[in-house]
């Protein structure tokens, strides 16, 4: 009863069904992101390119976040959350279907362009869905709701490496999984066209949207923390397979299954467990715990390359699980009531995912040591630790 009566109710209205519907979107973009971690090493083999050039796989998607975030914010401010969701799904579906001609052309540049279109679609989805679930109920339940929705995102993260590994490293057609995804996503877009999504503003007890000061120190600190988190997460994920192959001597296919079942399994477990723990422990204190654990685990990855280092990577993914939704919600609370504008800026920080893989690729290619590239994420986690301590 507690979930239904307090977590999804506000002003006498029950928002459980809209929450459940929108939460399915989190799975879709989790899959889109995680399959990149397999696509990256696959392109290294297919086109005989280095880690730095292959990092444009991530740069294309995450670069779309930087360029599309403000237009996406305009769409939801002008036409509402539903319009943002449908626009995102259409772009996502079209980008996925572009892999069909891409497979015929067999051009790395064309695949990168297709991924950029997908990234623009994901931007619209995240700009709409992340702030939307934070207002579908009581103010005090915002962090719990977004962490619950992000749990579905985690299941998408598990499935992506498994599907990608089974398709790309076993001689399968690269277009097949993206064709299936594209058709499914466009079908979901048609479903949302037929649904009514209530336009919900901030809770009555909070400051009305637009009346507060957006550019305050707390909000800017949250923007930086979110940028660095996405940079760290993407850097870790995109180098997981390379690290496991180099230091454990396993195949890329085995490494992709380890990432899917192991790494992303830990990630999802952390999301589910964290959502439950938040009933008893403040979200800010959990963020401190997770960020400090990430610093320690990444230090092990750097210092002990091999099985111990891979175990450290699994712990890093566990500790990352609560960071994005918690930082997002905390930063949104600091936006002075400018929810939709703030969400556009917060989603823009996902462009951090374009920077870390390139920088880590440069370090790996220049030194020949994948483990040293993890100096990049560890610095990101140090800042997040300081940010989380300041919000306790």
């Amino acid at each position: 009863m507690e979930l239904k009566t307090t977590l999804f109710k506000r002003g006498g209205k029950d928002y459980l069904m809209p929450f459940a519907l929108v939460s399915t979107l989190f799975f879709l973009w989790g899959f889109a992101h995680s399959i990149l971690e397999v696509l990256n090493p696959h392109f290294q083999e297919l086109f005989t390119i280095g880690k730095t050039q292959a990092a444009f796989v991530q740069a294309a998607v995450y670069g779309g976040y930087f360029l599309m975030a403000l237009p996406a914010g305009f769409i939801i401010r002008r036409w509402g959350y539903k319009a943002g969701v449908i626009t995102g799904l259409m772009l996502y579906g079209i980008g996925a279907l572009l892999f069909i001609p891409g497979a015929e052309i067999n051009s790395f540049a064309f695949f990168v362009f297709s991924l950029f279109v997908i990234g623009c679609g994901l931007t619209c989805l995240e700009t709409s869905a992340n702030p939307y679930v934070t207002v579908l109920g009581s103010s005090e339940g915002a962090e719990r709701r977004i962490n619950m929705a992000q749990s579905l995102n985690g299941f998408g993260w598990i499935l992506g490496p498994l599907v990608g590994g089974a398709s790309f490293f076993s001689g399968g057609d690269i277009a097949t999984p993206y064709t299936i995804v594209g058709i499914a996503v466009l079908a979901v877009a048609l479903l949302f066209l037929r649904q009514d999504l209530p336009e919900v503003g901030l809770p009555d007890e909070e400051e009305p949207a637009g009346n507060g000061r957006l550019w305050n120190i707390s909000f800017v600190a949250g923007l930086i923390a979110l940028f660095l988190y996405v940079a760290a997460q993407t850097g870790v994920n995109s180098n997981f397979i390379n690290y496991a192959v180099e230091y454990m001597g396993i195949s890329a296919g085995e490494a992709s299954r380890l990432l899917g079942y192991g790494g992303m399994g830990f990630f999802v477990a952390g999301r589910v467990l964290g959502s439950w723990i938040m009933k008893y422990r403040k979200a800010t204190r959990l963020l401190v715990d997770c960020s400090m654990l990430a610093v320690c685990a990444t230090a092990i990855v750097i210092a002990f390359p091999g099985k111990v280092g891979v175990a450290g990577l699994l712990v890093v993914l566990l500790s990352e699980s609560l960071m994005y939704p918690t930082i997002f919600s905390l930063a949104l609370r600091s936006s002075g009531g400018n929810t939709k504008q703030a969400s556009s800026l917060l989603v823009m920080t996902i462009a951090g995912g374009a920077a870390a893989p390139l920088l880590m690729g440069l370090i790996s290619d220049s030194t020949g040591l994948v483990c040293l590239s993890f100096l990049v994420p560890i610095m990101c986690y140090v800042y997040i630790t300081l940010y989380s301590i300041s919000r306790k």
Side-chain angles (χ1 to χ4, degrees), residues 81-350:
Y81 290 112
K82 180 177 178 178
V85 167
I86 292 171
T87 302
L89 289 169
M90 293 295 291
L91 287 172
Y92 182 175
I94 290 169
L97 292 179
L98 283 175
F99 269 67
I100 299 174
E104 295 296 322
I105 298 171
N106 199 34
S107 164
F108 179 69
F110 190 87
F111 282 126
V112 168
F113 170 73
S114 304
L115 291 168
F116 174 76
V117 175
I118 291 175
C120 289
L122 300 180
T123 308
C124 292
L125 290 182
E126 294 208 43
T127 305
S128 304
N130 277 310
Y132 193 49
V133 297
T134 67
V135 297
L136 288 175
S138 61
S139 174
E140 62 273 14
E143 285 82 13
R144 285 192 63 200
R145 281 193 302 276
I146 195 169
N147 271 285
M148 290 173 67
Q150 289 279 357
S151 296
L152 280 177
N153 174 268
F155 285 107
W157 278 93
I158 289 177
L159 190 60
L162 299 178
V163 171
S167 300
F168 306 151
F169 298 130
S170 60
D173 184 357
I174 192 173
T176 300
Y178 276 95
T179 301
I180 295 171
V181 168
I183 293 171
V185 167
L186 292 177
V188 173
L190 291 176
L191 173 64
F192 269 86
L193 274 171
R194 300 172 60 88
Q195 299 296 319
D196 290 325
L197 292 182
E199 282 297 315
V200 185
L202 290 172
D204 295 336
E205 66 271 17
E206 293 186 10
E207 189 171 12
N211 286 357
R213 181 169 170 264
L214 173 61
W215 293 104
N216 58 77
I217 293 176
S218 295
F219 180 70
V220 173
L223 279 176
I224 296 171
L226 209 58
F227 178 92
L228 293 177
Y229 165 73
V230 178
Q233 182 199 36
T234 309
V236 169
N237 291 348
S238 64
N239 282 277
F240 186 102
I241 293 175
N242 288 329
Y243 187 97
V245 168
E246 181 163 336
Y247 296 119
M248 289 186 65
I250 60 178
S251 69
E254 291 172 315
S256 67
R257 289 190 290 274
L258 179 60
L259 175 60
Y261 288 120
M264 296 310 166
F266 271 65
F267 187 79
V268 173
R271 285 256 166 101
V272 175
L273 183 62
S275 297
W276 175 75
I277 293 175
M278 280 185 183
K279 293 194 297 183
Y280 310 102
R281 186 170 176 81
K282 288 181 62 177
T284 49
R285 292 187 178 275
L286 271 179
L287 185 59
V288 173
D289 299 337
C290 290
S291 55
M292 291 181 68
L293 180 60
V295 171
C296 296
T298 309
I300 292 173
V301 172
I302 297 169
F304 302 100
K307 291 183 178 179
V308 174
V310 171
L313 278 177
L314 298 179
V315 176
V316 170
L317 289 166
L318 173 67
S319 63
E320 284 181 345
S321 58
L322 298 181
M323 289 187 189
Y324 182 85
T326 305
I327 296 171
F328 190 98
S329 182
L330 291 173
L332 207 59
R333 283 179 179 271
S334 306
S335 66
N338 299 278
T339 309
K340 292 181 178 179
Q341 183 182 1
S343 70
S344 300
L345 295 168
L346 290 169
V347 169
M348 185 181 287
T349 65
I350 294 176

